[in-house]
Amino acid sequence: MLNKNLKCVISVISFLFAANAGAQVTTKNNGVIAFDSNANGVPMISEIRILGTAVMKYDNVGAGFQMTARSSAGNAYNPTQAGDCRQHPSQVLSFSSNWSPSDLQLNAQNGVMFNVAPRDYAESTSCASVGGVVLPFQFEFGATLGDAVSLPKELMVLDLYYTRQQGAEIVQKGQSEAPVIFPMLNVMPYAYSSVDGSTIVPFNVVVNGAPTNDVRKWPIGPNQYTQGKLIMMCTLSQTNCIGLYSNKETINIFSRRAGAKYPLSMLALTIDSGGEIADFDRHHARKLLVVGTPSTIATVISQASSAISDWGDL
């Protein structure tokens, strides 16, 4: 007979396989940005590399590149694309390994689309439950790399869709992350922000009476909020940065986190500074992931802003 521990391991493996049957690790690379999806059967972007240097690696279900929602209950009701805090992946409804938005002339071979029924991350319960339940939501997370023709290679277009279903709690836009990413802190330790996507300045937190944008010196855990269009992390010399851009000003979030494997930072764009999603319509948010030096990123944002007309309704 199988011993108890082996039975448990087989049960977990069977659960993961059943939850994400057919999901395979998919790699996309346009020569500047490369990313992997579906590592460990988890439906999110699991690694990002810039010119071959890994700036984000799979750490755990809660720390990758994905989207979330929250109701007025906050972390107690937190649909999360990847899964729950007990590391159970969310339910994959479909996954396209070749996808691009229909209104942009981008190569579908450089994009993916996740269609997910998310689990409740349930962090506020200290992961005491067996696993966060699958909630009546539908998340769609599309990511397509630039091709140097329609859009620069230094960006990734993000098309994120929220659809509430019957029984779902009302989504609070100001608490919902679209998207959220956890770069490795030791690779890019310095925080920057911009109110307009052009003028980029250090984002400082006061530590022991002195302001610093070195996130390694910040306390672990608390969120730090800023209002604007761009937030990013950089190397000391600013020769390499990764940022998230919204075409409209919102309340956005930095944080220092202790990952399961790596020291991490967190960057998140909220859907909006306030308001709710109370209907059952399909709502679209288009954002950008951008890389390069601060001046490169400002130029890329300017080019993308001229080329993109549809930024969604969120």
Side-chain angles (χ1 to χ4, degrees), residues 12 15-16 19-20 40-44 58-64 66-68 75-91 116-135 139:
V12 170
F15 176 89
L16 296 178
N20 291 284
N40 300 316
V42 176
M44 67 177 175
Y58 181 86
D59 186 275
N60 66 82
V61 166
Q66 57 179 304
M67 61 192 289
T68 78
N75 287 337
Y77 195 83
N78 182 198
T80 298
Q81 176 186 335
D84 66 22
C85 63
R86 294 280 296 210
Q87 306 300 299
H88 300 115
S90 289
Q91 180 181 348
V116 172
R119 289 187 182 275
D120 188 351
Y121 194 74
E123 186 176 33
S124 63
T125 64
S126 300
C127 298
S129 61
V130 172
V133 296
V134 175
L135 296 174
F139 284 171

Side-chain angles (χ1 to χ4, degrees), residues 22-40:
Q24 298 179 343
V25 175
T26 301
T27 298
K28 302 294 177 178
N29 189 346
N30 69 357
V32 176
I33 303 172
F35 68 86
D36 299 339
S37 303
N38 294 316
N40 300 316

Side-chain angles (χ1 to χ4, degrees), residues 84-190:
D84 66 22
C85 63
R86 294 280 296 210
Q87 306 300 299
H88 300 115
S90 289
Q91 180 181 348
V92 179
L93 303 175
S94 65
F95 173 72
S96 175
S97 60
N98 292 284
W99 183 88
S100 65
S102 59
D103 63 315
L104 300 177
Q105 302 301 311
L106 294 173
N107 190 339
Q109 292 183 349
N110 280 339
V112 299
M113 169 60 84
F114 296 93
N115 187 342
V116 172
R119 289 187 182 275
D120 188 351
Y121 194 74
E123 186 176 33
S124 63
T125 64
S126 300
C127 298
S129 61
V130 172
V133 296
V134 175
L135 296 174
F137 276 82
Q138 185 172 344
F139 284 171
E140 296 164 81
F141 184 105
T144 315
L145 297 175
D147 57 5
V149 179
S150 298
L151 288 168
K153 286 189 174 183
E154 290 83 5
L155 64 77
M156 177 192 297
V157 179
L158 303 166
D159 287 284
L160 313 177
Y161 298 86
Y162 288 78
T163 307
R164 288 182 65 244
Q165 298 174 347
Q166 292 292 336
E169 294 190 16
I170 293 173
V171 168
Q172 301 297 311
K173 293 181 180 180
Q175 298 189 64
S176 301
E177 298 156 340
V180 57
I181 188 171
F182 293 79
M184 292 188 294
L185 187 55
N186 290 342
V187 179
M188 293 180 175
Y190 296 93

Side-chain angles (χ1 to χ4, degrees), residues 124-307:
S124 63
T125 64
S126 300
C127 298
S129 61
V130 172
V133 296
V134 175
L135 296 174
F137 276 82
Q138 185 172 344
F139 284 171
E140 296 164 81
F141 184 105
T144 315
L145 297 175
D147 57 5
V149 179
S150 298
L151 288 168
K153 286 189 174 183
E154 290 83 5
L155 64 77
M156 177 192 297
V157 179
L158 303 166
D159 287 284
L160 313 177
Y161 298 86
Y162 288 78
T163 307
R164 288 182 65 244
Q165 298 174 347
Q166 292 292 336
E169 294 190 16
I170 293 173
V171 168
Q172 301 297 311
K173 293 181 180 180
Q175 298 189 64
S176 301
E177 298 156 340
V180 57
I181 188 171
F182 293 79
M184 292 188 294
L185 187 55
N186 290 342
V187 179
M188 293 180 175
Y190 296 93
Y192 294 83
S193 65
S194 175
V195 296
D196 57 8
S198 176
T199 304
I200 298 170
V201 298
F203 179 81
N204 292 312
V205 170
V206 176
V207 179
N208 296 325
T212 178
N213 73 324
D214 185 345
V215 178
R216 294 170 297 185
K217 298 179 181 179
W218 296 2
I220 295 174
N223 288 338
Q224 313 293 339
Y225 296 91
T226 180
Q227 190 160 343
K229 293 184 175 182
L230 172 70
I231 53 178
M232 67 186 196
M233 299 294 298
C234 296
T235 58
L236 174 61
S237 60
Q238 299 183 354
T239 54
N240 207 356
C241 305
I242 187 169
L244 298 177
Y245 172 77
S246 168
N247 73 307
K248 61 182 179 181
E249 187 173 306
T250 61
I251 302 297
N252 302 313
I253 307 168
F254 286 99
S255 186
R256 178 187 172 195
R257 298 297 176 92
K261 298 179 181 179
Y262 310 106
L264 304 173
S265 61
M266 185 199 79
L267 305 178
L269 303 181
T270 60
I271 299 177
D272 206 340
S273 299
E276 300 176 334
I277 299 176
D279 57 35
F280 301 106
D281 297 335
R282 183 175 184 245
H283 292 279
H284 176 209
R286 176 169 284 168
K287 311 295 183 182
L288 301 177
L289 178 140
V290 287
V291 305
T293 65
S295 61
T296 298
I297 285 174
T299 299
V300 166
I301 288 172
S302 177
Q303 293 172 348
S305 297
S306 297

